[in-house]
Amino acid sequence: MEKSQLYSKLTAIFREVFDEDELNVTPQTTADDVDGWDSLSHIRLVLAVSKAFGVKFSASEIGNLKNVGEFAALIEKKA
């Protein structure tokens, strides 16, 4: 999957999880950039991404991510 396709798919997932139609994610996007990105929505986001990409993440993998770019790289590695 090309990066543009991956980010397009991630953006759709983020919009669904955070109920924000105008939300655009970039590699530099962090939880501080998205309204409502708390621990509960983080879990919902990880589950939605897992389902959409058909991959599973460990708690330590998710806990070490600093931004969406690292999340995308992890998805690419597992997909």
Side-chain angles (χ1 to χ4, degrees):
M1 177 179 291
E2 292 185 24
K3 286 222 185 270
S4 62
Q5 292 174 314
L6 189 144
Y7 278 95
S8 177
K9 198 169 179 177
L10 276 177
T11 295
I13 294 167
F14 271 73
R15 288 177 177 177
E16 174 81 24
V17 169
F18 294 103
D19 195 25
E20 177 59 57
D21 293 340
E22 302 299 319
L23 181 61
N24 289 309
V25 294
T26 68
Q28 294 78 31
T29 301
T30 68
D32 292 337
D33 300 322
V34 179
D35 287 338
W37 191 340
D38 55 20
S39 57
L40 180 59
S41 61
H42 186 76
I43 292 168
R44 290 179 42 228
L45 177 66
V46 170
L47 291 174
V49 169
S50 293
K51 183 177 178 181
F53 288 92
V55 295
K56 293 187 177 192
F57 306 101
S58 70
S60 63
E61 290 173 326
I62 296 301
N64 291 328
L65 299 175
K66 294 183 177 40
N67 56 40
V68 173
E70 290 186 7
F71 197 17
L74 181 60
I75 293 166
E76 285 182 305
K77 181 179 165 186
K78 291 184 166 266

